Amino acid sequence: MSKPAFLGIDWGTTNRRVHVLGADGFLLTTQADDKGVLSLTRDQFPAEIAALRARFGDLTVIAAGMVGSARGWVEVPYLPCPVTLGELAGRLCWVEPGRTAIVPGVAIADPLRPEVMRGEEVQILGAVQAGLVPPDALLCQPGTHSKWATLSGGTLTGFRTAMTGELFALLRRHSLLSGLLDGPVEPGPDFDAGLALAMQGAPLGRLFGERAAALLGLRDPASVAARVSGLLIGGDVAEQGLAPGQPVHLLADGMLARLYATAIGAAGGTVHPVSSQAAFLAGIIRICLHQNLWS
């Protein structure tokens, strides 16, 4: 078995994934937990890194994601879009010189459509560097804040964000619909009905209509969660204005991948699944190669 060489951490808002990579570039093990940046204070990050080294070895650490945000360990400046993986690698922020680095995020400073991302850029550019997606492509990364990114010649040239997952969570916890959103959410007739509603527009009125229909006995309350999910995800996809048959490279896993694949297909797109973990690992490995960080 290959000797451990470094730790690549995908450090998000609520979750953290620690990948132990070998000297040959192969994944040795992964630890996933709920120690996202919101669970830690700024002065707790050094102890977390020390605990990981105590478990996995005294290794170089490369972290990406919200760990580099204002809510994380150190606020790392964004790089302007367009950007390449080599540019990201060349602008690592060494929190502990030669020991622990954070990958910068990417920003679009357009007053009409400002955008930022942290962590997704490693997946996007890693995917193209590893040949998981072509150099000219449209990628979708579903999640709490879904990202739609464009690649041209292997360069990240633009992206847009939709608060799709967060809106569903807020509706489920803090809205008049909250008592109706505990049902199952999966592809099927109810989700498809929500997608059809999204194509008709006027989502705000249609959201209230779901509650009214349940109150009036016109809708099975158990169907509302899937319908509302379809309405939100369908609206997210509809905003992209996909051309018939347009390829969409979907960086997602599990149920969320199934839901978005269904919505993209309903909107006329052609889905190409990509493993989000494989894309992240490819990006982190190439950043380390660029920095000559192999032990």
Side-chain angles (χ1 to χ4, degrees), residues 152-256:
S152 180
T155 296
L156 173 60
T157 55
F159 59 96
R160 301 177 70 182
T161 308
M163 295 175 63
T164 316
E166 183 170 355
L167 284 174
F168 186 81
L170 289 170
L171 289 170
R172 174 175 273 175
R173 296 170 189 161
H174 304 295
S175 76
L176 285 172
L177 289 169
S178 60
L180 296 169
L181 297 182
D182 293 329
V185 176
E186 57 188 11
D190 296 326
F191 184 76
D192 291 343
L195 295 178
L197 289 176
M199 299 302 172
Q200 297 170 27
L204 297 181
R206 297 189 187 282
L207 281 171
F208 188 83
E210 291 301 304
R211 178 176 184 271
L215 290 174
L216 296 172
L218 302 174
R219 187 93 68 242
D220 179 359
S223 72
V224 174
R227 290 174 61 92
V228 168
S229 178
L231 176 58
L232 294 177
I233 292 175
D236 183 358
V237 174
E239 284 187 8
Q240 311 313 312
L242 299 178
Q246 182 174 356
V248 178
H249 299 268
L250 184 61
L251 279 77
D253 303 293
M255 181 57 69
L256 199 54

Side-chain angles (χ1 to χ4, degrees), residues 66-92:
M66 292 301 287
V67 65
S69 72
R71 301 291 297 272
W73 187 359
V74 174
E75 186 172 6
V76 181
Y78 294 103
L79 294 188
C81 188
V83 69
T84 66
L85 193 62
E87 289 168 336
L88 288 176
R91 295 287 295 276
L92 295 182

